[in-house]
Amino acid sequence: MNTKDPFLMGYSATAVAHPNIAFIKYWGNRDESLNLPSNGSISMNLGDLRAQTKVTFSSELSEDVLSINHIIAGHNAHQRMSAILDNIRQKAKISLYARVESILNFPTGTGIASSAAGFAALAKAAVHAAGLDFNEIEISRLARLGSGSACRSVPGGFVEWQKGESDNTSYATSIFSAEHWDLYDVIIVLQKTPKKVGSKAGHILANTSPLQASRVQDSSRRLEICRKAIKERDFSSLANIIELDSNMMHAITMTSNPPLLYWEAGSLELMHAVPKWRTEGLHVAYTIDAGPNVHLICQPEDVNEIKKRATALVNPQEILLSTIGGPAYIVRTK
Ligand code: PMV
């Protein structure tokens, strides 16, 4: 890790990162402040969805300023951003505050991992703007401080987050490139309004569920099955393991104290229909994050039929479509 003089590098940089959809989900932390997870996780980046974030360190600022889609962000997002920026300031030996402007091309706060994309782009851009020569692992660790799953939006393609033992060893790396398997995510948006209880609060409640310990204990087995299914491009095996893992995460949320019920009627209708569609020959599987919206992971030849069937079944507010995507990248410096 080398530091360069930020004056020479320029104080501003813009990065793009994609959200990711977890196949094996992160739910619950061993350390809340560092987002050290209870279990490892695997995800796929969503290349057609983007957060573009510009970071400008400036002597004209008296505090950090964060805007998301041109609106000044609330205390929670601000605090998480500062955890990343403070770390960078300390390592780059600068004391300037930063203006952070993030623009997303998809809805925020609805279980479509907007925070993952936002914090991954922020970490990537801020490291560059501060003139730090960090590798992908170091940037992944930094992004994790904003939101855990953001560490998985730094590398590209299919990504695994090693739970690690400490801040140094908990980061994500690509296990297969985006070119390895052409998968799509058809996102059935049932609700665009932000969810009532965010994932941060959900992680804190995870250990109040009597089921969390066995879910965590079984996680290496699920990770192994998922890795193998991706490696062998075995859709049927992938479908079974991601649906199981999604159901297990929601079993935790539903049995936490207080319980969190993220599904809506439409989520459940799709959960009934999708395994049936598989028996009819479609390559499709459902997975649901901390919100009601349903991600339908599928192969390209089935995208149109899946959109048609889902529209007829649940009349969604919107359908977002994304193919698998690459790593976070710099689009502009200075
Ligand atoms: O990174 P967070 O705090 O937004 O938590 C993400 C939680 C899930 O999206 C539900 C699961 C995951 O692994 O992405």
Side-chain angles (χ1 to χ4, degrees), residues 22 25-27 115 147-149 152 199-200 203 249 289-290:
K25 298 189 188 293
Y26 149 55
W27 199 250
S115 61
S147 93
S149 60
R152 293 191 315 241
S199 47
K200 187 83 194 152
H203 293 301
M249 185 199 103
D289 277 349

Side-chain angles (χ1 to χ4, degrees), residues 39-264:
N39 60 278
S41 51
I42 292 180
S43 58
M44 154 180 139
N45 278 358
L46 302 176
D48 293 297
L49 309 183
R50 279 180 295 276
Q52 176 160 318
T53 302
K54 179 178 184 188
V55 176
T56 309
F57 289 102
S58 165
S59 54
E60 286 163 13
L61 296 168
S62 53
E63 59 181 349
D64 292 324
V65 184
L66 169 64
S67 67
I68 302 172
N69 290 340
H70 308 292
I71 295 168
I72 295 295
H75 177 68
N76 185 0
H78 194 279
Q79 229 182 3
R80 294 154 80 182
M81 164 191 73
S82 292
I84 297 178
L85 292 175
D86 287 346
N87 201 296
I88 289 174
R89 279 188 279 259
Q90 194 201 351
K91 294 202 169 112
K93 300 188 173 48
I94 55 175
S95 54
L96 299 178
Y97 290 107
R99 179 179 302 109
V100 176
E101 297 153 286
S102 197
I103 305 282
L104 293 95
N105 73 344
F106 59 99
T108 62
T110 54
I112 311 177
S114 49
S115 61
F119 287 120
L122 162 62
K124 180 88 183 170
V127 158
H128 224 81
L132 290 168
D133 183 17
F134 275 18
N135 62 27
E136 194 173 82
I137 286 176
E138 289 167 304
I139 299 174
S140 174
R141 281 176 44 216
L142 264 179
R144 195 197 70 233
L145 301 174
S147 93
S149 60
C151 75
R152 293 191 315 241
S153 280
V154 174
F158 298 93
V159 172
E160 180 163 359
W161 174 11
Q162 306 289 344
K163 73 178 174 124
E165 295 307 323
S166 63
D167 180 40
N168 280 339
T169 52
S170 186
Y171 55 81
T173 54
S174 178
I175 50 172
F176 296 99
S177 73
E179 291 71 37
H180 172 73
W181 196 2
D182 190 16
L183 289 182
Y184 276 71
D185 185 1
V186 179
I187 306 170
I188 309 300
V189 181
L190 299 166
Q191 254 181 27
K192 280 194 193 174
T193 46
K195 59 203 170 206
K196 288 182 211 84
V197 182
S199 47
K200 187 83 194 152
H203 293 301
I204 293 171
L205 293 181
N207 276 329
T208 65
S209 164
L211 307 180
Q212 171 73 344
S214 36
R215 179 189 156 277
V216 169
Q217 202 194 357
D218 181 62
S219 59
S220 339
R221 187 189 68 90
R222 297 193 306 283
L223 286 164
E224 174 60 33
I225 293 172
C226 185
R227 246 181 254 123
K228 184 162 181 281
I230 298 171
K231 181 171 181 220
E232 295 172 359
R233 301 185 194 90
D234 176 349
F235 196 91
S236 159
S237 168
L238 183 74
N240 290 333
I241 199 66
I242 72 178
E243 289 183 358
L244 170 69
D245 190 85
S246 175
N247 293 347
M248 284 176 84
M249 185 199 103
H250 287 271
I252 304 306
T253 73
M254 285 189 276
T255 52
S256 293
N257 184 13
L260 303 172
L261 302 178
Y262 285 117
W263 299 338
E264 292 294 334

Side-chain angles (χ1 to χ4, degrees), residues 10-29:
Y11 272 131
S12 182
T14 304
V16 165
H18 306 293
N20 64 76
I21 177 65
F23 289 173
I24 302 298
K25 298 189 188 293
Y26 149 55
W27 199 250
N29 283 316

